[in-house]
Amino acid sequence: MEETLSSPPISTKLFRIAEAARQHPERALTTLAHHIDLAWLREAYRRTNKDGAPGIDGQTAEQYASKLEENLQSLLSRFKTGQYRAPAVRRVHIPKGDGKKTRPIGIPTFEDKVLQRAVAMVLEPIYEQEFLDCSYGFRPGRSAHQALEAVRSATMSIGGGWVVEVDIQAFFDTLDPDALKEIVRRRVRDGVLLRIIGKWLKAGVQEQGSITASELGTPQGGVISPLLANIYLNEVMDQWFEKQVRPRMRGRCQLVRYADDMVLAFAREDDARRVLEVLPKRFGRYGLKLHPEKTRIVDFRRPGWGKLTGRKPQTFDFLGFTHYWGKTRRGANAVKQKTAKDRFNRSLRRIRQWCREHRHKPLRAQQQALAKKLRGHYGYFGIAWNFPALERFYYRVRAAWRKWLSRRSHTAYINWANLFRLLERFPLPTPRIVHPCPT
């Protein structure tokens, strides 16, 4: 790569785009596509994941890289002249929740991923000036763990309060493309960029060999999709909550959103019920529907309220964690987070399936793969107060490995004593807290 993010042409352009958006918050920017040149595409290529599955054309990252300069030059020419045709995305289904349901994921072609990344690099510094602090998903310098800490801090500060869980039904499949383009047009009026975004929204999907046109939604899995989702929900939820809802509340309230996952915390029950009542109408204006059962209000008040009625605080899930009231070592009440039951079972089910399918591989290869999976699990779920769930997960993985090693042949049975000796040679990483509680 001749250019990197820190090289003057790329970093200077990003700074100028952000500065223009910051200085003129009410003005639509009309000249943006000229920033995308060959050096910009090289940087977009560098940022693009090279390990992803190929799209409908079957082209891998290695094949594209064999003639990189030629391919990028052709891509730039087609993009600038409007001759680029957005290919349909290949749709696959991955298990969701308990494994009985699946979630559709769109896989663009590698070249389409590069161009989507290049356009996202232009739009991102513009909308970073628009997005509010309550949004954490797919933004530079922000993470799911920051969103989790924001929820914990908000509920702690108001004594638990009343929490509204918001669940959007099939968000990426029901998003209104016309409404999205209108929202984008308020800040971006560059014809080249608007045209390519429109092509992506209408590209269609390929499933079981047939291509169907897209009238609604944006394929979940595309490089540009998370940014477009944030732009859409920033208008639908974030700005509305900040400008119209919060001033009308009688008590404290806070919204925390990570992509299409969001929770609202209220100090007063009447405020929470008023907002819950109008949420379906608000989302309905933009073609979105809330899940009637999963969108609910939770009495999350701190233990101690309602002692005479025997009331216990309810729990709620957010980003794979169950939030509940527990005790600190000093005996004080505190909001704690543990691995949600469905996420725990799903992760364990996948590892059990992997052990079954790869039980005949060499032990060293199995140990390295399982160690990688465990470290990834600890890396996300290793937060304060969640050590018991990590430990339980480790023991279950260890038992699953023993079970399927014992089924490699009719004489391969491994008892626990033999397993412990095996683990001395091929150890699995033990649980650890990666994200301690902020002081």
Side-chain angles (χ1 to χ4, degrees), residues 54-59 87-91 107-110 205-206 211:
I56 63 172
D57 61 356
Q59 187 180 48
V89 299
R90 181 167 66 89
R91 174 171 285 177
I107 304 177
T109 64
F110 183 78
V205 297
Q206 182 193 67
I211 297 178

Side-chain angles (χ1 to χ4, degrees), residues 182-196:
E182 180 60 32
I183 293 171
V184 172
R185 198 174 288 115
R186 296 175 191 170
R187 288 295 277 146
V188 177
R189 290 187 186 171
D190 186 295
V192 178
L193 294 185
L194 292 175
R195 182 167 59 238
I196 193 63

